[in-house]
Amino acid sequence: MATTAIDFAQTLSPEIKATLRSLRGRIRAYIWAEGVTLLFTWLGAAFWLGLALDWFFEPPTIVRLAFLAAVAIVAVWIIGRCLVSRLTTPLADHSMAVVLERRFRHLDDALLTAVWLTENSLDPEKCNPLMLSRTCEEAAERIRQVRVAEVFNPLPLRRSTTGAIFFAASIALFFGMFPEAAQLWLRRGLLLSAEQWPRQSRFLEVVGVRDGEEQPFVDGVLKVARGAELTLLVRADTAMPRIPASVELRYRPEGGSRQRKLMAREGRADPEKDRFQQYSFQFEGVLAPIAFEVVDLGPSGDRLSNCRIEVVDSPSLMEMTVECRFPEYTERSARTLPVTGVMQFPLGSELTLRAAANKPLRKIRVESVRANQTAEVRELSGDALGPDGQSLTLSLPPLEDDTSLFFHLFDADGIRSREPVRVALAVQMDEAPQVRVRLFGIGTAVTPSVRIPFEGRVIDDFGTARVWAETVIEHDDPVEHRLLDLPRAPADLAIATETALDAREMKLLPGQKMQLILRAADRFQWQGQGPNVGQSERWQLEIVTPEQLRAMLEARELVLRQRFEVIINEAGETRDMLLKVNFDPSDEDQGAKPGSEPGDKPTKDEGKPATDEPSREGDKPASEIGGEPGDAPRTGQAMTPEKHLALQTMRVQRALQNARKNAAEVKGVAESFDDILAQMVNNRIDTEELRQRIDLSIARPLHGIADEMFPVLQKNVELLQELLGDAQRGPAARRRALTQAEDILAAMLAVRAKMIELEDFNEAIEMLRTIIKQQEQLEQATKQRQKEKLRELMED
């Protein structure tokens, strides 16, 4: 049959319900008390912790704000964790019963069973109402002995309450005893004010010294040039109760570690006389930004924080050029040149300097230093630096002295260039032309009708305008003879032999002496000065008759022939030295003819001396007169292959040395004959036959011997020297060298024969001149005798 549920709620006694309600209320009160006291304890601890940190370190605003945020976060966590989450947790009757059962063991689960069954409605068939009623009665009897207050542990609440009371009392005491400090802390800690704590010392200022000038920090920042040195100065107020004994600089370069250095105390300030005590510290070569603070290490010492040194590029000039407008006398067009080192410009040049800066500039101080003069200083700023402050245009007066310009740059940050930009301008003075000229084909003796050619160069910085000759005859005044007028002034003027002075118009007389100078003038004109005149060496010329000059030249020809005969003898020695060269050591031991080979035929000159003159030692063999280097050893001496090779090498080297020497000497003789011919032509004493004899028969063949034949001989002898150790190819090389030496000797003998013919011709001419002179003297004597007889007849 159907059954109805039992209303178990009516079975709990009022004592049980009252006890459960009391426990629930006490728990909520405990949570409130503990949470609030914990919150006040934390806030009190945070108050003193923040006060201590702020008092000793005075952290920046951002740090104080972070600390305030941390305090708030912890407070919110306490409120949420100890109050909100606990108070919002449901406290059911069975939970209260569990708490009581755990604390009071005599309840023996009766209270929990009664409460649980009354909260959960059960079917009467599953739960006996009588038994439930009996359980509820037992629980009611036992709960009368329960004291709800004993459920709680009072220690946590006492600790938090004690902490809250302690911090509250200490804070109240602090506010009461130090109201100003408490209010300052509230302004700094809560309102984040920048006010500082009262100090026994005070820093007036911190400044930086760069480039010898003090620079203040602007908003705690000072900018310096990269790599520059910076001296940090800190000044403490002497009017404060205490002057810092030790001041510490705490700094950290960007990307580096934090460092601490004591600043140097400069002297001992007298509070009655000095306004401040100064401390210093020097940074060497600042390359990166530096954040720092200055701290007085004494009690209640002052502190300067949030200071920073910024690093920027030093101002400098780039792409510097100079535009030069050259003076007229240089005949040069304007040019623009890059500035490099010491720059030279002609006197009177007008210069304009242009440059670009690497950053905007506030001003440029230009210091101009001229040689032996005081410096001139002027400043450029504003529009003179262009619209962007990064361009420079400076026009200079005409350059008259060596000038050094020093540009001191100041940028918008007040940074000065570490070293001034130096521009050195040197004046290139227009020197007098360099007359590097000699007389061509002229000796110290000339005839009255001489033509004096010049040969060489005239060099000037900016060109030669005219060239003239200046002569002084005996003690007369100098006379100018115009040679060249140049409309376009060349810097390097070649003077050819066509440029000559004709003496026929000067009416010179034999016996006179003439001084000759070649002068050249440039186009230099500056402030009434100029032109510059240069001159050659001074030549002293003696005027002689044509006959006297011919005699001088003939004497010179005789000397040249004698010199040439010596060269012929040396050439014969070279030929003989090559004849001695052989490639078989046994030939030397057996006394065979040096240089002979099996099957060789005697040469056309073997057995003859080098010339047709007798030997200076007569007919004695070389072994009797001691011999010379390169001679074969005497009979009976052994010849090893090594000694043989050394002997042949010595012979070839001597032959090569002689060939080189003779070539230079023959060339000198040829040039001397050229000079003789040129003197004859220039002095107008030459004849067609004489020119043919000297030029075609002597000078040209000698040039051919020196320039063509001797080089071939030298080449053949050098090849022979290389093949001395080769018995197969060496003999052929020796024959080629020997043949060339004989050809040279034959050519030289032929030239000598022409010289003798010329000498005979000159002697014949001289005899003819003597006969003509005697005939002239006879005619003059006859005329004189006839005049005397006529005078005697008239007297009678």
Side-chain angles (χ1 to χ4, degrees), residues 321-327 335-337 339 343-354 378 393-401 403 405 423-427:
T321 60
V322 57
E323 179 183 322
C324 178
R325 291 182 293 280
F326 295 96
R335 296 177 60 187
T336 299
L337 304 171
V339 175
M343 305 190 69
Q344 286 191 339
F345 296 97
L347 176 67
S349 299
E350 297 180 1
L351 306 177
T352 300
L353 292 172
R354 303 183 190 278
R378 59 172 167 169
T393 300
L394 178 63
S395 297
L396 302 177
L399 189 62
E400 297 181 357
D401 299 299
T403 304
L405 299 176
V423 178
L425 305 175
V427 176

mmCIF file of all heavy atoms in Angstrom, residues 321-327 335-337 339 343-354 378 393-401 403 405 423-427:
data_model
loop_
_atom_site.group_PDB
_atom_site.id
_atom_site.type_symbol
_atom_site.label_atom_id
_atom_site.label_comp_id
_atom_site.label_asym_id
_atom_site.label_seq_id
_atom_site.Cartn_x
_atom_site.Cartn_y
_atom_site.Cartn_z
ATOM 1 N N THR A 321 85.618 71.314 -50.521
ATOM 2 C CA THR A 321 86.255 71.667 -51.788
ATOM 3 C C THR A 321 86.632 73.144 -51.759
ATOM 4 O O THR A 321 86.119 73.922 -50.952
ATOM 5 C CB THR A 321 85.310 71.409 -52.974
ATOM 6 O OG1 THR A 321 84.119 72.193 -52.821
ATOM 7 C CG2 THR A 321 84.935 69.942 -53.067
ATOM 8 N N VAL A 322 87.551 73.509 -52.654
ATOM 9 C CA VAL A 322 87.963 74.899 -52.787
ATOM 10 C C VAL A 322 87.867 75.270 -54.261
ATOM 11 O O VAL A 322 88.365 74.563 -55.128
ATOM 12 C CB VAL A 322 89.397 75.120 -52.231
ATOM 13 C CG1 VAL A 322 90.398 74.209 -52.914
ATOM 14 C CG2 VAL A 322 89.807 76.569 -52.392
ATOM 15 N N GLU A 323 87.169 76.354 -54.506
ATOM 16 C CA GLU A 323 87.031 76.879 -55.867
ATOM 17 C C GLU A 323 88.053 77.998 -56.039
ATOM 18 O O GLU A 323 88.041 78.981 -55.286
ATOM 19 C CB GLU A 323 85.611 77.391 -56.087
ATOM 20 C CG GLU A 323 85.386 77.987 -57.463
ATOM 21 C CD GLU A 323 83.986 78.545 -57.619
ATOM 22 O OE1 GLU A 323 83.041 77.923 -57.087
ATOM 23 O OE2 GLU A 323 83.834 79.607 -58.243
ATOM 24 N N CYS A 324 88.920 77.850 -57.018
ATOM 25 C CA CYS A 324 90.030 78.780 -57.214
ATOM 26 C C CYS A 324 89.846 79.538 -58.523
ATOM 27 O O CYS A 324 89.660 78.932 -59.580
ATOM 28 C CB CYS A 324 91.362 78.032 -57.207
ATOM 29 S SG CYS A 324 92.788 79.106 -57.517
ATOM 30 N N ARG A 325 89.915 80.859 -58.422
ATOM 31 C CA ARG A 325 89.962 81.732 -59.603
ATOM 32 C C ARG A 325 91.392 82.270 -59.688
ATOM 33 O O ARG A 325 91.817 83.114 -58.884
ATOM 34 C CB ARG A 325 88.940 82.854 -59.474
ATOM 35 C CG ARG A 325 87.489 82.365 -59.558
ATOM 36 C CD ARG A 325 86.506 83.507 -59.472
ATOM 37 N NE ARG A 325 86.529 84.139 -58.169
ATOM 38 C CZ ARG A 325 85.903 83.649 -57.085
ATOM 39 N NH1 ARG A 325 85.205 82.536 -57.177
ATOM 40 N NH2 ARG A 325 85.968 84.284 -55.933
ATOM 41 N N PHE A 326 92.131 81.745 -60.651
ATOM 42 C CA PHE A 326 93.552 82.048 -60.762
ATOM 43 C C PHE A 326 93.763 83.471 -61.259
ATOM 44 O O PHE A 326 92.937 84.022 -61.998
ATOM 45 C CB PHE A 326 94.227 81.066 -61.723
ATOM 46 C CG PHE A 326 94.217 79.640 -61.228
ATOM 47 C CD1 PHE A 326 93.238 78.752 -61.640
ATOM 48 C CD2 PHE A 326 95.179 79.202 -60.347
ATOM 49 C CE1 PHE A 326 93.227 77.448 -61.187
ATOM 50 C CE2 PHE A 326 95.182 77.902 -59.882
ATOM 51 C CZ PHE A 326 94.199 77.021 -60.303
ATOM 52 N N PRO A 327 94.883 84.091 -60.874
ATOM 53 C CA PRO A 327 95.191 85.434 -61.382
ATOM 54 C C PRO A 327 95.440 85.399 -62.891
ATOM 55 O O PRO A 327 95.730 84.345 -63.473
ATOM 56 C CB PRO A 327 96.445 85.830 -60.598
ATOM 57 C CG PRO A 327 97.032 84.542 -60.126
ATOM 58 C CD PRO A 327 95.893 83.611 -59.914
ATOM 59 N N ARG A 335 89.051 76.494 -61.341
ATOM 60 C CA ARG A 335 88.972 75.059 -61.077
ATOM 61 C C ARG A 335 88.420 74.837 -59.677
ATOM 62 O O ARG A 335 88.578 75.679 -58.789
ATOM 63 C CB ARG A 335 90.350 74.409 -61.181
ATOM 64 C CG ARG A 335 90.967 74.466 -62.564
ATOM 65 C CD ARG A 335 92.358 73.867 -62.562
ATOM 66 N NE ARG A 335 92.332 72.483 -62.140
ATOM 67 C CZ ARG A 335 93.433 71.748 -61.913
ATOM 68 N NH1 ARG A 335 94.614 72.320 -62.034
ATOM 69 N NH2 ARG A 335 93.339 70.496 -61.544
ATOM 70 N N THR A 336 87.773 73.687 -59.486
ATOM 71 C CA THR A 336 87.290 73.263 -58.175
ATOM 72 C C THR A 336 88.050 72.020 -57.776
ATOM 73 O O THR A 336 88.047 71.022 -58.502
ATOM 74 C CB THR A 336 85.777 72.981 -58.202
ATOM 75 O OG1 THR A 336 85.093 74.183 -58.569
ATOM 76 C CG2 THR A 336 85.297 72.531 -56.829
ATOM 77 N N LEU A 337 88.702 72.077 -56.614
ATOM 78 C CA LEU A 337 89.583 70.997 -56.172
ATOM 79 C C LEU A 337 89.147 70.497 -54.803
ATOM 80 O O LEU A 337 88.673 71.280 -53.971
ATOM 81 C CB LEU A 337 91.030 71.492 -56.081
ATOM 82 C CG LEU A 337 91.625 72.108 -57.363
ATOM 83 C CD1 LEU A 337 92.966 72.740 -57.044
ATOM 84 C CD2 LEU A 337 91.768 71.061 -58.439
ATOM 85 N N VAL A 339 89.816 69.411 -50.987
ATOM 86 C CA VAL A 339 90.797 69.852 -50.004
ATOM 87 C C VAL A 339 91.581 68.641 -49.520
ATOM 88 O O VAL A 339 91.020 67.701 -48.950
ATOM 89 C CB VAL A 339 90.109 70.560 -48.824
ATOM 90 C CG1 VAL A 339 91.127 70.899 -47.743
ATOM 91 C CG2 VAL A 339 89.413 71.819 -49.306
ATOM 92 N N MET A 343 97.629 72.827 -49.593
ATOM 93 C CA MET A 343 97.254 73.150 -50.967
ATOM 94 C C MET A 343 97.981 74.422 -51.389
ATOM 95 O O MET A 343 97.957 75.430 -50.686
ATOM 96 C CB MET A 343 95.739 73.314 -51.083
ATOM 97 C CG MET A 343 94.948 72.115 -50.577
ATOM 98 S SD MET A 343 93.195 72.219 -50.976
ATOM 99 C CE MET A 343 93.249 72.007 -52.760
ATOM 100 N N GLN A 344 98.617 74.351 -52.553
ATOM 101 C CA GLN A 344 99.354 75.487 -53.075
ATOM 102 C C GLN A 344 98.560 76.156 -54.186
ATOM 103 O O GLN A 344 97.989 75.477 -55.055
ATOM 104 C CB GLN A 344 100.716 75.030 -53.620
ATOM 105 C CG GLN A 344 101.725 74.694 -52.548
ATOM 106 C CD GLN A 344 103.117 74.515 -53.128
ATOM 107 O OE1 GLN A 344 103.289 74.256 -54.307
ATOM 108 N NE2 GLN A 344 104.127 74.663 -52.282
ATOM 109 N N PHE A 345 98.553 77.495 -54.136
ATOM 110 C CA PHE A 345 97.869 78.284 -55.148
ATOM 111 C C PHE A 345 98.763 79.465 -55.510
ATOM 112 O O PHE A 345 99.512 79.976 -54.672
ATOM 113 C CB PHE A 345 96.515 78.788 -54.634
ATOM 114 C CG PHE A 345 95.534 77.692 -54.328
ATOM 115 C CD1 PHE A 345 95.386 77.226 -53.028
ATOM 116 C CD2 PHE A 345 94.776 77.120 -55.335
ATOM 117 C CE1 PHE A 345 94.498 76.221 -52.739
ATOM 118 C CE2 PHE A 345 93.881 76.106 -55.051
ATOM 119 C CZ PHE A 345 93.743 75.652 -53.753
ATOM 120 N N PRO A 346 98.688 79.907 -56.759
ATOM 121 C CA PRO A 346 99.522 81.043 -57.171
ATOM 122 C C PRO A 346 99.179 82.301 -56.378
ATOM 123 O O PRO A 346 98.051 82.472 -55.884
ATOM 124 C CB PRO A 346 99.190 81.201 -58.659
ATOM 125 C CG PRO A 346 98.645 79.878 -59.083
ATOM 126 C CD PRO A 346 97.935 79.324 -57.891
ATOM 127 N N LEU A 347 100.145 83.173 -56.246
ATOM 128 C CA LEU A 347 99.958 84.437 -55.560
ATOM 129 C C LEU A 347 98.821 85.222 -56.215
ATOM 130 O O LEU A 347 98.779 85.383 -57.438
ATOM 131 C CB LEU A 347 101.257 85.246 -55.617
ATOM 132 C CG LEU A 347 101.209 86.650 -55.020
ATOM 133 C CD1 LEU A 347 101.013 86.573 -53.514
ATOM 134 C CD2 LEU A 347 102.484 87.414 -55.371
ATOM 135 N N GLY A 348 97.877 85.708 -55.378
ATOM 136 C CA GLY A 348 96.761 86.494 -55.884
ATOM 137 C C GLY A 348 95.534 85.679 -56.231
ATOM 138 O O GLY A 348 94.535 86.247 -56.712
ATOM 139 N N SER A 349 95.534 84.373 -55.982
ATOM 140 C CA SER A 349 94.366 83.542 -56.284
ATOM 141 C C SER A 349 93.212 83.901 -55.361
ATOM 142 O O SER A 349 93.399 84.167 -54.172
ATOM 143 C CB SER A 349 94.712 82.057 -56.141
ATOM 144 O OG SER A 349 95.730 81.685 -57.039
ATOM 145 N N GLU A 350 91.999 83.893 -55.914
ATOM 146 C CA GLU A 350 90.784 84.138 -55.128
ATOM 147 C C GLU A 350 90.124 82.790 -54.857
ATOM 148 O O GLU A 350 89.754 82.077 -55.801
ATOM 149 C CB GLU A 350 89.845 85.071 -55.887
ATOM 150 C CG GLU A 350 90.441 86.457 -56.129
ATOM 151 C CD GLU A 350 89.483 87.364 -56.875
ATOM 152 O OE1 GLU A 350 88.362 86.910 -57.168
ATOM 153 O OE2 GLU A 350 89.857 88.522 -57.158
ATOM 154 N N LEU A 351 89.959 82.475 -53.571
ATOM 155 C CA LEU A 351 89.501 81.147 -53.171
ATOM 156 C C LEU A 351 88.142 81.233 -52.493
ATOM 157 O O LEU A 351 87.858 82.173 -51.753
ATOM 158 C CB LEU A 351 90.510 80.500 -52.221
ATOM 159 C CG LEU A 351 91.962 80.433 -52.716
ATOM 160 C CD1 LEU A 351 92.847 79.828 -51.648
ATOM 161 C CD2 LEU A 351 92.043 79.645 -54.008
ATOM 162 N N THR A 352 87.326 80.218 -52.749
ATOM 163 C CA THR A 352 86.032 80.055 -52.080
ATOM 164 C C THR A 352 85.945 78.626 -51.574
ATOM 165 O O THR A 352 86.015 77.666 -52.348
ATOM 166 C CB THR A 352 84.866 80.334 -53.031
ATOM 167 O OG1 THR A 352 84.968 81.680 -53.520
ATOM 168 C CG2 THR A 352 83.537 80.166 -52.304
ATOM 169 N N LEU A 353 85.818 78.485 -50.243
ATOM 170 C CA LEU A 353 85.725 77.169 -49.623
ATOM 171 C C LEU A 353 84.266 76.764 -49.485
ATOM 172 O O LEU A 353 83.426 77.562 -49.059
ATOM 173 C CB LEU A 353 86.389 77.172 -48.250
ATOM 174 C CG LEU A 353 87.910 77.337 -48.237
ATOM 175 C CD1 LEU A 353 88.398 77.526 -46.814
ATOM 176 C CD2 LEU A 353 88.573 76.131 -48.860
ATOM 177 N N ARG A 354 83.976 75.528 -49.838
ATOM 178 C CA ARG A 354 82.620 74.983 -49.682
ATOM 179 C C ARG A 354 82.732 73.637 -48.981
ATOM 180 O O ARG A 354 83.633 72.841 -49.272
ATOM 181 C CB ARG A 354 81.939 74.805 -51.042
ATOM 182 C CG ARG A 354 81.871 76.099 -51.856
ATOM 183 C CD ARG A 354 81.113 75.892 -53.167
ATOM 184 N NE ARG A 354 81.239 77.045 -54.039
ATOM 185 C CZ ARG A 354 80.496 78.142 -53.947
ATOM 186 N NH1 ARG A 354 79.556 78.207 -53.002
ATOM 187 N NH2 ARG A 354 80.673 79.148 -54.779
ATOM 188 N N ARG A 378 86.582 85.079 -36.958
ATOM 189 C CA ARG A 378 85.221 85.510 -37.279
ATOM 190 C C ARG A 378 84.294 84.313 -37.139
ATOM 191 O O ARG A 378 84.723 83.149 -37.244
ATOM 192 C CB ARG A 378 85.142 86.094 -38.680
ATOM 193 C CG ARG A 378 85.571 85.160 -39.793
ATOM 194 C CD ARG A 378 85.270 85.795 -41.137
ATOM 195 N NE ARG A 378 85.910 85.099 -42.236
ATOM 196 C CZ ARG A 378 85.619 85.342 -43.508
ATOM 197 N NH1 ARG A 378 84.716 86.253 -43.823
ATOM 198 N NH2 ARG A 378 86.248 84.684 -44.474
ATOM 199 N N THR A 393 79.893 78.111 -46.969
ATOM 200 C CA THR A 393 80.485 78.796 -48.114
ATOM 201 C C THR A 393 81.275 79.974 -47.573
ATOM 202 O O THR A 393 80.715 80.874 -46.955
ATOM 203 C CB THR A 393 79.409 79.273 -49.104
ATOM 204 O OG1 THR A 393 78.663 78.145 -49.574
ATOM 205 C CG2 THR A 393 80.065 79.966 -50.296
ATOM 206 N N LEU A 394 82.590 79.955 -47.793
ATOM 207 C CA LEU A 394 83.472 80.980 -47.239
ATOM 208 C C LEU A 394 84.362 81.514 -48.360
ATOM 209 O O LEU A 394 85.160 80.779 -48.936
ATOM 210 C CB LEU A 394 84.335 80.395 -46.119
ATOM 211 C CG LEU A 394 85.343 81.350 -45.461
ATOM 212 C CD1 LEU A 394 84.615 82.496 -44.784
ATOM 213 C CD2 LEU A 394 86.218 80.601 -44.468
ATOM 214 N N SER A 395 84.200 82.795 -48.650
ATOM 215 C CA SER A 395 85.026 83.454 -49.660
ATOM 216 C C SER A 395 86.193 84.145 -48.982
ATOM 217 O O SER A 395 86.015 84.841 -47.976
ATOM 218 C CB SER A 395 84.193 84.464 -50.454
ATOM 219 O OG SER A 395 83.147 83.819 -51.161
ATOM 220 N N LEU A 396 87.372 83.961 -49.533
ATOM 221 C CA LEU A 396 88.595 84.519 -48.953
ATOM 222 C C LEU A 396 89.133 85.641 -49.838
ATOM 223 O O LEU A 396 88.931 85.638 -51.065
ATOM 224 C CB LEU A 396 89.659 83.431 -48.818
ATOM 225 C CG LEU A 396 89.271 82.209 -47.974
ATOM 226 C CD1 LEU A 396 90.390 81.176 -47.998
ATOM 227 C CD2 LEU A 396 88.968 82.620 -46.544
ATOM 228 N N PRO A 397 89.834 86.599 -49.257
ATOM 229 C CA PRO A 397 90.478 87.645 -50.055
ATOM 230 C C PRO A 397 91.602 87.040 -50.892
ATOM 231 O O PRO A 397 92.025 85.906 -50.655
ATOM 232 C CB PRO A 397 91.000 88.621 -49.000
ATOM 233 C CG PRO A 397 91.164 87.804 -47.772
ATOM 234 C CD PRO A 397 90.077 86.772 -47.811
ATOM 235 N N PRO A 398 92.113 87.786 -51.883
ATOM 236 C CA PRO A 398 93.213 87.259 -52.699
ATOM 237 C C PRO A 398 94.364 86.761 -51.825
ATOM 238 O O PRO A 398 94.770 87.412 -50.871
ATOM 239 C CB PRO A 398 93.620 88.457 -53.559
ATOM 240 C CG PRO A 398 92.369 89.273 -53.672
ATOM 241 C CD PRO A 398 91.666 89.129 -52.355
ATOM 242 N N LEU A 399 94.851 85.597 -52.173
ATOM 243 C CA LEU A 399 95.869 84.933 -51.362
ATOM 244 C C LEU A 399 97.222 85.619 -51.573
ATOM 245 O O LEU A 399 97.746 85.655 -52.690
ATOM 246 C CB LEU A 399 95.948 83.457 -51.760
ATOM 247 C CG LEU A 399 96.807 82.555 -50.885
ATOM 248 C CD1 LEU A 399 96.261 82.504 -49.466
ATOM 249 C CD2 LEU A 399 96.876 81.155 -51.485
ATOM 250 N N GLU A 400 97.773 86.163 -50.463
ATOM 251 C CA GLU A 400 99.062 86.844 -50.535
ATOM 252 C C GLU A 400 100.111 86.208 -49.636
ATOM 253 O O GLU A 400 101.305 86.385 -49.876
ATOM 254 C CB GLU A 400 98.895 88.322 -50.142
ATOM 255 C CG GLU A 400 97.978 89.102 -51.076
ATOM 256 C CD GLU A 400 97.852 90.559 -50.674
ATOM 257 O OE1 GLU A 400 98.440 90.922 -49.635
ATOM 258 O OE2 GLU A 400 97.170 91.313 -51.381
ATOM 259 N N ASP A 401 99.687 85.513 -48.579
ATOM 260 C CA ASP A 401 100.620 84.877 -47.650
ATOM 261 C C ASP A 401 100.142 83.458 -47.376
ATOM 262 O O ASP A 401 98.966 83.115 -47.576
ATOM 263 C CB ASP A 401 100.694 85.645 -46.315
ATOM 264 C CG ASP A 401 101.178 87.078 -46.513
ATOM 265 O OD1 ASP A 401 102.307 87.247 -47.003
ATOM 266 O OD2 ASP A 401 100.414 88.009 -46.191
ATOM 267 N N THR A 403 98.561 80.773 -45.416
ATOM 268 C CA THR A 403 97.447 80.939 -44.477
ATOM 269 C C THR A 403 96.971 79.575 -43.997
ATOM 270 O O THR A 403 96.843 78.639 -44.802
ATOM 271 C CB THR A 403 96.284 81.690 -45.136
ATOM 272 O OG1 THR A 403 96.752 82.942 -45.636
ATOM 273 C CG2 THR A 403 95.164 81.931 -44.136
ATOM 274 N N LEU A 405 93.725 77.944 -41.971
ATOM 275 C CA LEU A 405 92.359 78.179 -41.502
ATOM 276 C C LEU A 405 91.974 77.057 -40.545
ATOM 277 O O LEU A 405 92.141 75.876 -40.859
ATOM 278 C CB LEU A 405 91.386 78.211 -42.680
ATOM 279 C CG LEU A 405 91.633 79.301 -43.735
ATOM 280 C CD1 LEU A 405 90.657 79.146 -44.887
ATOM 281 C CD2 LEU A 405 91.507 80.686 -43.123
ATOM 282 N N VAL A 423 92.702 73.750 -42.666
ATOM 283 C CA VAL A 423 92.943 73.873 -44.106
ATOM 284 C C VAL A 423 94.189 74.740 -44.270
ATOM 285 O O VAL A 423 94.206 75.897 -43.839
ATOM 286 C CB VAL A 423 91.746 74.492 -44.841
ATOM 287 C CG1 VAL A 423 92.064 74.657 -46.326
ATOM 288 C CG2 VAL A 423 90.503 73.635 -44.658
ATOM 289 N N ALA A 424 95.228 74.158 -44.843
ATOM 290 C CA ALA A 424 96.495 74.869 -45.032
ATOM 291 C C ALA A 424 96.600 75.336 -46.476
ATOM 292 O O ALA A 424 96.526 74.532 -47.407
ATOM 293 C CB ALA A 424 97.672 73.972 -44.675
ATOM 294 N N LEU A 425 96.742 76.650 -46.650
ATOM 295 C CA LEU A 425 96.860 77.259 -47.977
ATOM 296 C C LEU A 425 98.253 77.862 -48.094
ATOM 297 O O LEU A 425 98.647 78.705 -47.279
ATOM 298 C CB LEU A 425 95.795 78.340 -48.168
ATOM 299 C CG LEU A 425 94.332 77.900 -47.950
ATOM 300 C CD1 LEU A 425 93.401 79.096 -48.055
ATOM 301 C CD2 LEU A 425 93.941 76.826 -48.948
ATOM 302 N N ALA A 426 98.999 77.395 -49.072
ATOM 303 C CA ALA A 426 100.358 77.882 -49.290
ATOM 304 C C ALA A 426 100.402 78.685 -50.586
ATOM 305 O O ALA A 426 99.780 78.314 -51.585
ATOM 306 C CB ALA A 426 101.348 76.725 -49.349
ATOM 307 N N VAL A 427 101.135 79.793 -50.524
ATOM 308 C CA VAL A 427 101.282 80.647 -51.703
ATOM 309 C C VAL A 427 102.377 80.070 -52.596
ATOM 310 O O VAL A 427 103.499 79.819 -52.139
ATOM 311 C CB VAL A 427 101.628 82.090 -51.298
ATOM 312 C CG1 VAL A 427 101.881 82.934 -52.537
ATOM 313 C CG2 VAL A 427 100.501 82.685 -50.477
#
